[in-house]
Amino acid sequence: MSSYHGPVMVHQILDHLVRLHNDDKQKKALLVIDGMSLTQWYVIEDVLKEQLTDFTFNTESIFAWIPTITEISRQSIFAGREPFLFDDTLEKTNEDGKWWTKNWKQESIPENQIFYKTGCYFWDNLDVEKIPYNSAKILGLVAMTVDEKIHNAHGGIKELNGEVRDWVKKGSLGNLIKTLIKNDFSVFVTADHGNIEAEGIGQPRDKDSRKGEKREKRARIYQSEATANRIHNLFQENSFLWPNDITSSKYHFLLAKSDRAFDFTGTSVVSHGGISLDEVMVPFVKIGEKND
């Protein structure tokens, strides 16, 4: 399947939106709910269907990048390219807006008509009211609510899903979508990665991290191949080395197997970074009015 008919991986979303815009010239809004799995999307969708009875939800499943972490997979959404093509910014989370603006400017969209905002939570209407619906033609928004709840979900996936449902019921996400569509935006919702409930296998002693290295509970990124191999040998039954051909050879990826995590032994955590379907498969949703 080509990205013209629909994205297969998250880095193809931008190309898909550009092609749609070139065909219909309609304003476009992309909402990335950081960390949202397919399971959480269906929780969200159930509530939104109660709030937005005049709207349709067309959901497809697409693939995130592995390791399923924000610096790799979310950046690929806004960069519109594979990770090896932004290798020098791989360790950052603050380049998305620059990529988003640069790519749409190449499509002859004036910079003052391109808008990007991260750090949105949509608990009240203040976030909604700050969006320039009239002046902008292209919107890129990142909601951090689900990702924040992932890292505080001490009661596991069941607790997380309940808190996600509570957010959509009490928050302003439904109002955001309604306002976007009423202002003539084509609205798309996706995520950079999902999440999984995992059991701790112990914490590696590798505190001497360098710039660009990550110490996630499901994925660890090293610039030293020797360090990656050493930690892998210590956790050989519960970890594996992921090929680093998605980036330059300076990065080495160690992932936890199955439903395991680099955390205190026996501890239950909700995290991301690995290759489970719950982490890798994410929704790509088109929301519109029923009479569209």
Side-chain angles (χ1 to χ4, degrees):
M1 177 186 288
S2 72
S3 59
Y4 179 78
H5 294 98
V8 176
M9 294 192 69
V10 291
H11 72 279
Q12 297 173 329
I13 291 173
L14 179 63
D15 177 60
H16 179 65
L17 297 184
V18 166
R19 290 176 182 268
L20 290 177
H21 182 76
N22 289 338
D23 287 343
D24 60 25
K25 303 303 180 185
Q26 188 174 1
K27 296 189 289 185
K28 298 289 181 293
L30 176 66
L31 172 61
V32 178
I33 302 180
D34 195 295
M36 174 183 65
S37 69
L38 273 168
T39 298
Q40 277 106 47
W41 165 248
Y42 289 126
V43 170
I44 292 170
E45 184 184 44
D46 282 345
V47 180
L48 290 178
K49 283 182 175 179
E50 296 175 359
Q51 298 174 346
L52 307 173
T53 55
D54 295 330
F55 294 81
T56 60
F57 299 81
N58 180 22
T59 300
E60 303 289 342
S61 300
I62 63 176
F63 291 96
W65 276 96
I66 301 171
T68 47
I69 62 173
T70 299
E71 290 82 355
I72 292 176
S73 206
R74 193 179 82 190
Q75 190 170 181
S76 73
I77 293 175
F78 290 102
R81 56 191 69 189
E82 300 170 51
F84 72 88
L85 293 172
F86 53 83
D87 194 55
D88 56 343
T89 65
L90 194 70
E91 74 278 3
K92 301 178 182 180
T93 60
N94 60 353
E95 297 292 315
D96 296 356
K98 295 177 183 178
W99 285 117
W100 184 248
T101 300
K102 178 182 178 180
N103 283 312
W104 283 104
K105 282 177 66 177
Q106 291 175 349
E107 300 301 322
S108 301
I109 304 295
E111 186 169 350
N112 62 1
Q113 295 179 5
I114 306 166
F115 182 79
Y116 168 86
K117 182 174 175 57
T118 188
C120 301
Y121 289 89
F122 299 114
W123 272 111
D124 55 44
N125 286 323
L126 190 59
D127 274 337
V128 179
E129 293 165 358
K130 289 181 178 178
I131 297 170
Y133 303 99
N134 295 321
S135 60
K137 290 186 177 179
I138 303 296
L139 297 176
L141 306 171
V142 180
M144 301 301 299
T145 317
V146 174
D147 189 68
E148 182 180 84
K149 290 185 177 299
I150 287 170
H151 298 289
N152 292 285
H154 304 298
I157 290 291
K158 185 177 180 180
E159 176 189 292
L160 173 62
N161 291 345
E163 292 191 354
V164 168
R165 182 180 296 275
D166 186 64
W167 165 52
V168 185
K169 283 186 174 182
K170 297 179 180 179
S172 58
L173 182 63
N175 186 36
L176 167 71
I177 293 168
K178 182 177 180 179
T179 305
L180 286 168
I181 291 177
K182 294 303 181 184
N183 281 273
D184 300 318
F185 282 90
S186 292
V187 177
F188 299 85
V189 180
T190 193
D192 51 350
H193 57 76
N195 52 80
I196 187 176
E197 187 170 345
E199 181 180 342
I201 56 173
Q203 291 184 314
R205 295 182 179 180
D206 54 354
K207 301 297 184 181
D208 54 336
S209 61
R210 308 178 189 177
K211 181 181 178 181
E213 297 189 331
K214 296 287 292 182
R215 302 293 189 269
E216 302 288 352
K217 294 179 180 180
R218 291 274 295 159
R220 303 176 83 81
I221 301 177
Y222 300 98
Q223 290 192 26
S224 166
E225 185 176 10
T227 301
N229 287 330
R230 177 176 64 81
I231 302 302
H232 172 51
N233 288 333
L234 292 174
F235 295 89
Q236 196 158 23
E237 292 185 2
N238 291 300
S239 71
F240 62 99
L241 294 166
W242 184 255
N244 64 353
D245 51 4
I246 69 163
T247 63
S248 70
S249 58
K250 71 178 180 180
Y251 296 111
H252 304 276
F253 306 126
L254 180 66
L255 307 186
K257 286 184 178 179
S258 186
D259 59 349
R260 298 294 183 260
F262 298 110
D263 205 342
F264 295 110
T265 303
T267 302
S268 179
V269 299
V270 178
S271 191
H272 59 87
I275 65 170
S276 73
L277 286 179
D278 289 320
E279 294 163 292
V280 174
M281 299 297 295
V282 296
F284 180 68
V285 187
K286 169 68 168 67
I287 304 176
E289 294 184 285
K290 286 186 176 178
N291 60 355
D292 279 359

